[in-house]
Amino acid sequence: MSPGGAGCSARLLLTVGWLLLARLQSTCGTNVTAFRDAGLDHEGEGENEGKEEAETDSEAENEPQDEAEEDVSNGTIVKEVEFGMCTVTCGIGIREVILTNGCPGGESKCVVRVEECRGPVDCGWGKPLSESLESVRLACVHISPENRFKYVWRLIRPNQQAIILPNDSAILEVHRDIHPMAYECETLENDEIIASVKFTIYTTAELQMKRSNRPDTDAVLVFVLTIGVVICIFVIFVLIFIIVNWAAVKDFWGAKASTTEVQSELSSMRYKESTSLDQSPTEIPGHEEDALSEWNE
């Protein structure tokens, strides 16, 4: 065999080997792809089955809850509520929510909760929280907690624009001036005015004049209350004495009653005697009448 033939046979064998190797690789790649696709299909089916089982379980759990809710709704007692009086006539206050049916322990009424209540925003002219001859303390309309609201104080001037004061708390302390002053406080919640109240601050001279012109009702009230308390205590002591000495009191009243009866009997007897004496001179005996008739004849 020549060297050229040997080279051709070697090339032929190499070419056949490459072809076989390429075919083998393509076959393996197809099998691997098929295996991967089958695995993905199995995983998808498993996920779908898991979702279906989860939905089935959730439906099974929801059905008893729905039934329980239906049972509870069927077994509930109709509760009737009424609202108490609001603590304020304007601004913001609180009121009681009273249950009139379904109270625990068989009670006819019970307080369920306390809630807010609101009235008209304008509260008009209010009274100071406290005052003296030098200063006055004013309070805005609010409920607890105090820091829940925002407060705006204004100094009201006639025929002029009001002055906004730097104080933003619910309490304002002002000193009296030589002229009467007027203040206004607005209570805000979420930038909404829920209450507004005004105050008039008189001068020291005006306050003294008002106090002097006002009748001293406090002293009169104290005097009347003192007299009433003394009378009540006296009556209580008298009742206690009568209860403790009931036998003696009974004998005393019995003796007094008997004396009264004797005196009444004596007075009745005297009245009868006087009546009989008044009637006796009018009667003329029989023998005197005969003597008078004989003399006339």
Side-chain angles (χ1 to χ4, degrees):
M1 183 179 290
S2 62
C8 290
S9 61
R11 289 176 182 176
L12 181 63
L13 291 172
L14 184 60
T15 302
V16 171
W18 279 106
L19 291 173
L20 291 172
L21 182 61
R23 187 174 182 81
L24 181 62
Q25 287 179 354
S26 63
T27 304
C28 291
T30 303
N31 292 333
V32 170
T33 303
F35 177 76
R36 287 180 179 177
D37 292 338
L40 291 173
D41 293 336
H42 284 296
E43 289 178 359
E45 291 176 0
E47 290 178 358
N48 293 330
E49 290 177 359
K51 289 180 179 179
E52 291 177 357
E53 291 177 359
E55 290 177 358
T56 304
D57 294 335
S58 64
E59 290 177 358
E61 291 176 358
N62 290 329
E63 288 178 358
Q65 291 179 358
D66 294 337
E67 292 177 359
E69 290 177 358
E70 290 178 359
D71 293 337
V72 171
S73 63
N74 292 330
T76 53
I77 300 174
V78 178
K79 295 183 178 180
E80 299 177 358
V81 297
E82 65 181 17
F83 300 96
M85 295 293 294
C86 190
T87 55
V88 295
T89 57
C90 64
I92 185 169
I94 57 175
R95 64 181 179 183
E96 294 180 343
V97 180
I98 303 171
L99 188 65
T100 58
N101 186 13
C103 292
E107 297 179 357
S108 59
K109 289 186 179 182
C110 55
V111 178
V112 180
R113 64 181 183 276
V114 178
E115 65 179 14
E116 295 180 0
C117 57
R118 296 191 182 184
V121 174
D122 189 5
C123 293
W125 296 89
K127 295 182 179 180
L129 187 64
S130 63
E131 60 180 342
S132 63
L133 294 176
E134 293 79 17
S135 62
V136 182
R137 295 181 72 234
L138 310 175
C140 292
V141 178
H142 66 280
I143 60 174
S144 183
E146 182 179 319
N147 57 359
R148 167 187 165 186
F149 306 99
K150 182 181 178 182
Y151 308 98
V152 178
W153 287 94
R154 291 184 176 89
L155 174 61
I156 302 175
R157 299 182 298 175
N159 301 325
Q160 294 182 7
Q161 188 176 1
I163 300 174
I164 299 177
L165 303 179
N167 186 18
D168 58 353
S169 62
I171 306 297
L172 175 67
E173 184 173 359
V174 296
H175 294 277
R176 299 185 186 275
D177 201 350
I178 58 175
H179 300 289
M181 308 294 290
Y183 292 87
E184 180 183 13
C185 179
E186 292 181 349
T187 305
L188 294 90
E189 184 181 21
N190 299 326
D191 296 331
E192 179 186 358
I193 300 175
I194 61 174
S196 175
V197 61
K198 301 180 183 68
F199 301 95
T200 299
I201 308 302
Y202 297 98
T203 62
T204 303
E206 290 176 342
L207 182 62
Q208 290 177 346
M209 186 179 296
K210 288 180 64 177
R211 289 182 176 179
S212 61
N213 293 333
R214 185 177 60 187
D216 195 3
T217 57
D218 295 337
V220 175
L221 182 61
V222 171
F223 177 76
V224 172
L225 290 177
T226 305
I227 295 299
V229 170
V230 171
I231 293 173
C232 290
I233 294 173
F234 177 75
V235 171
I236 291 171
F237 275 106
V238 169
L239 292 175
I240 293 173
F241 177 79
I242 292 172
I243 293 171
V244 172
N245 302 283
W246 176 246
V249 172
K250 189 175 180 181
D251 294 339
F252 173 77
W253 284 108
K256 190 173 181 180
S258 62
T259 305
T260 305
E261 290 178 357
V262 169
Q263 289 179 355
S264 63
E265 289 179 357
L266 291 173
S267 61
S268 62
M269 290 175 65
R270 288 174 182 174
Y271 177 75
K272 289 179 180 179
E273 289 177 355
S274 62
T275 305
S276 62
L277 289 174
D278 292 337
Q279 292 178 356
S280 59
T282 58
E283 295 179 357
I284 300 173
H287 61 277
E288 293 181 355
E289 290 180 355
D290 295 338
L292 289 173
S293 59
E294 291 177 356
W295 183 78
N296 290 330
E297 290 176 356

